[in-house]
Amino acid sequence: AMWDERIWTLFKRNLLHTLTYWSVFFSFGLCIAFLGPTILDLRCQTQSTLQEITWVFFSQQFCLLIGSSVGGVFKRTLFCALSALFVSSLLISVVFAIIPLCHNVLLLAVAMAVAGLAMGVIDTIANIQLVKLYQKDSAIFLQALHFFIGFGALVSPLIADPFLSDTNCVVGNGTENSTEMMHHLRNALAGTPMHNLSQYQLPTEGEVVTQVSYAFWIMALINLPVPIAVFVLMNRERLVPCCASSSPPLLETDELAMETQGTEGETPDTKDSDAQGHGDLFSCCHSETLQGAPLSFFGIHILGGMVLFMTDGIVGAYSGFVYTYAVAPPMNLPHKTAGYLASVFWAAITVGRLVSIPLSYRFQPVRLLLLNLAGVIITVLLLLIFFTSSIFLFIGTCLLGLFLSSIFPSMLAYTEDILDYKGCATTVLVTSAGMGEMVLQVLVGSIIHSEGSYSFMLCGMIIGCLAFSLFFVLLFFHRMHKISLSGHPGKTAMVEEPGADCLK
């Protein structure tokens, strides 16, 4: 009861900050899932080939990675962090509003690149701010944060669905075959198998008829309250010069929050190390924190990043190619049925993140990670064994989404706790996860096309086993880190990580 009351008190003290960081991740989720079901309408709008339109995927993912890598630079002050979130969330609404005006594939790719940069900044800053705000109690709030990604990812396809074209977008030149091909391709794109698009060729001449513009304008309006919420928070913190508030800043007297200025016992050196420790990826490499750091310090960063490289890679590859796997022999599912698999996968991830909120309070992050990583391997193994069962494919997809859902926030809470919030774990983990999603999707796609559909689950099994093995190496480095720091007075807090008894 005491812990419940303390965490509830923390949440009430930081209510507006927490709700704002959660809301910007809703913006992130809106952007992450709308391309799949709308890409064919956008291809018609831009009068481009299917091969050209796939660069829109790449531009978004690549710039998301860049944004994640450099986003931490805005953490220098609370003003910089909130300003970056305000601009980024506002840019997402602007991009949604101008997408219907992009009648050239290059303009569309540039618009999505801008959205990708905004998403990357949001990803890094929101994670860092919550970790800094709640420190060792951040796990439960990180789980909720990542739930909002899944929630946004569910909302955007639902908004787009009524406005998607069910017939050929070319007036006067369509045939039954092209209409059927469009329906087939839309189901395929719901799972985002971006590397198979070039085999479908549709006519490009004629007048484009598409209603999907309304979907983007609706999403722009739905997202608009998010930058408004960030602006309200800035105003409450007296960070908007032209709108000085009469109320005191929310965090002025909150001694439990990392944003507190002048905390008792905090030295200037401590403040400097905090400011540097959660900067962008490049400043992390030159941080004074790295000077004299033990080998285990670097190992924890690298191994934590490698685990998420693998697990987020599975998320990207599975959502991208489960449709391709399902319609191919020996499964041979109908195209419409197979199109639901990606939706089931994202729904499971969303539910898993919601369920993980109370679980993260009752169980230590290290135990949740062990359970989830083991669950991923067992699920993929069962999918390999029952590779002809369409029913188990849906069950396995649901289970896989549940197990993958909370790995990222649990790993973030675990590594930051090990490093006593002094390293660059958030920046490194966010960057590594983005790289894994981009690289492994390309790698798995090329293997499927060269070796056949059965290799899809085999790739998942290999990647899952690698992630599980790397996690055990991370546990070993955690123990090394405790030993290397045990003789340093003043750093004992770094080795008092809850769940360390799991390593004994």
Side-chain angles (χ1 to χ4, degrees):
M2 182 181 69
W3 282 90
D4 288 340
E5 184 179 348
R6 188 175 65 83
I7 291 181
W8 178 244
T9 302
L10 268 175
F11 178 63
K12 288 192 294 184
R13 285 181 176 180
N14 303 304
L15 179 63
L16 192 54
H17 279 260
T18 306
L19 293 179
T20 303
Y21 301 143
W22 287 350
S23 70
V24 293
F25 255 40
F26 174 78
S27 294
F28 186 100
L30 277 179
C31 269
I32 211 170
F34 79 87
L35 268 182
T38 63
I39 197 72
L40 184 55
D41 293 83
L42 293 174
R43 170 236 181 260
C44 294
Q45 174 183 300
T46 57
Q47 291 289 283
S48 58
T49 66
L50 292 169
Q51 200 166 19
E52 290 170 343
I53 201 71
T54 57
W55 283 102
V56 175
F57 283 99
F58 178 81
S59 65
Q60 183 190 40
Q61 288 291 329
F62 182 72
C63 289
L64 193 158
L65 181 61
I66 293 176
S68 298
S69 302
V70 304
V73 74
F74 298 108
K75 170 56 187 73
R76 303 305 182 187
T77 64
L78 182 61
F79 173 75
C80 288
L82 293 180
S83 298
L85 291 179
F86 172 74
V87 172
S88 298
S89 55
L90 185 61
L91 274 175
I92 288 175
S93 274
V94 171
V95 168
F96 277 137
I98 67 173
I99 281 176
L101 308 178
C102 296
H103 296 286
N104 179 284
V105 70
L106 182 60
L107 291 176
L108 183 61
V110 170
M112 292 313 304
V114 172
L117 284 171
M119 292 166 67
V121 171
I122 286 172
D123 197 7
T124 300
I125 292 296
N127 277 295
I128 287 176
Q129 288 296 103
L130 267 190
V131 168
K132 285 296 206 179
L133 207 59
Y134 291 101
Q135 296 188 38
K136 291 184 182 294
D137 297 305
S138 61
I140 183 173
F141 300 101
L142 286 171
Q143 297 287 0
L145 181 76
H146 288 266
F147 160 77
F148 279 91
I149 291 184
F151 181 57
L154 282 178
V155 168
S156 56
L158 290 176
I159 295 171
D161 187 67
F163 301 99
L164 298 178
S165 302
D166 289 324
T167 58
N168 193 353
C169 64
V170 181
V171 174
N173 293 326
T175 65
E176 256 183 65
N177 286 338
S178 61
T179 300
E180 183 181 347
M181 186 181 295
M182 173 173 280
H183 184 66
H184 169 86
L185 183 58
R186 166 145 300 109
N187 284 324
L189 287 168
T192 325
M194 49 187 285
H195 307 290
N196 271 345
L197 294 177
S198 58
Q199 63 182 293
Y200 301 103
Q201 295 297 330
L202 295 177
T204 58
E205 300 83 4
E207 181 186 354
V208 175
V209 178
T210 175
Q211 302 296 318
V212 79
S213 299
Y214 297 110
F216 290 114
W217 290 328
I218 291 171
M219 283 188 272
L221 289 174
I222 287 177
N223 182 70
L224 207 53
V226 176
I228 293 174
V230 179
F231 184 83
V232 169
L233 177 60
M234 294 177 69
N235 187 40
R236 289 293 302 274
E237 291 293 339
R238 296 179 177 175
L239 298 175
V240 184
C242 61
C243 305
S245 175
S246 58
S247 59
L250 296 177
L251 296 180
E252 186 175 68
T253 58
D254 185 3
E255 68 277 3
L256 296 176
M258 286 301 291
E259 300 298 338
T260 303
Q261 301 298 316
T263 305
E264 291 183 8
E266 184 182 67
T267 64
D269 291 339
T270 305
K271 291 182 183 178
D272 290 341
S273 77
D274 283 342
Q276 293 174 359
H278 289 86
D280 61 281
L281 188 61
F282 307 107
S283 67
C284 277
C285 297
H286 299 89
S287 173
E288 292 179 4
T289 309
L290 304 184
Q291 297 179 5
L295 177 64
S296 56
F297 178 88
F298 301 99
I300 289 166
H301 282 88
I302 294 170
L303 289 164
M306 289 177 71
V307 171
L308 289 186
F309 181 92
M310 301 294 176
T311 55
D312 268 52
I314 293 175
V315 173
Y318 197 87
S319 63
F321 294 102
V322 66
Y323 172 87
T324 304
Y325 173 77
V327 298
M331 195 67 68
N332 291 321
L333 283 181
H335 299 309
K336 187 172 183 179
T337 304
Y340 290 119
L341 283 165
S343 299
V344 170
F345 184 65
W346 276 108
I349 288 178
T350 305
V351 171
R353 285 170 176 166
L354 185 62
V355 171
S356 297
I357 295 173
L359 288 180
S360 63
Y361 172 71
R362 297 185 177 276
F363 300 99
Q364 298 150 352
V366 65
R367 297 186 186 276
L368 290 177
L369 285 167
L370 282 169
L371 173 66
N372 288 329
L373 289 169
V376 168
I377 293 176
I378 293 171
T379 301
V380 178
L381 179 61
L382 291 174
L383 284 167
L384 275 170
I385 294 172
F386 301 105
F387 66 97
T388 58
S389 171
S390 58
I391 294 175
F392 192 79
L393 179 60
F394 277 88
I395 295 173
T397 298
C398 185
L399 289 174
L400 190 62
L402 288 172
F403 285 122
L404 286 168
S405 62
S406 62
I407 289 179
F408 182 92
S410 296
M411 179 63 75
L412 182 58
Y414 176 60
T415 51
E416 285 282 15
D417 210 17
I418 295 173
L419 300 170
D420 199 31
Y421 310 91
K422 296 295 191 291
C424 304
T426 298
T427 306
V428 171
L429 295 188
V430 168
T431 304
S432 300
M435 289 181 64
E437 191 166 348
M438 187 170 65
V439 171
L440 291 184
Q441 192 176 45
V442 176
L443 180 63
V444 171
S446 63
I447 293 174
I448 292 172
H449 292 155
S450 62
E451 302 299 329
S453 64
Y454 188 78
S455 61
F456 173 60
M457 291 299 176
L458 197 58
C459 287
M461 186 69 185
I462 293 170
I463 296 170
C465 289
L466 284 173
F468 197 62
S469 302
L470 289 168
F471 179 67
F472 273 97
V473 180
L474 175 61
L475 295 180
F476 173 73
F477 269 78
H478 179 189
R479 186 169 184 82
M480 282 180 56
H481 197 61
K482 287 176 60 183
I483 294 171
S484 65
L485 294 173
S486 59
H488 291 73
K491 292 188 178 181
T492 54
M494 190 178 287
V495 301
E496 296 294 332
E497 193 271 323
D501 56 306
C502 294
L503 306 176
K504 295 180 182 178

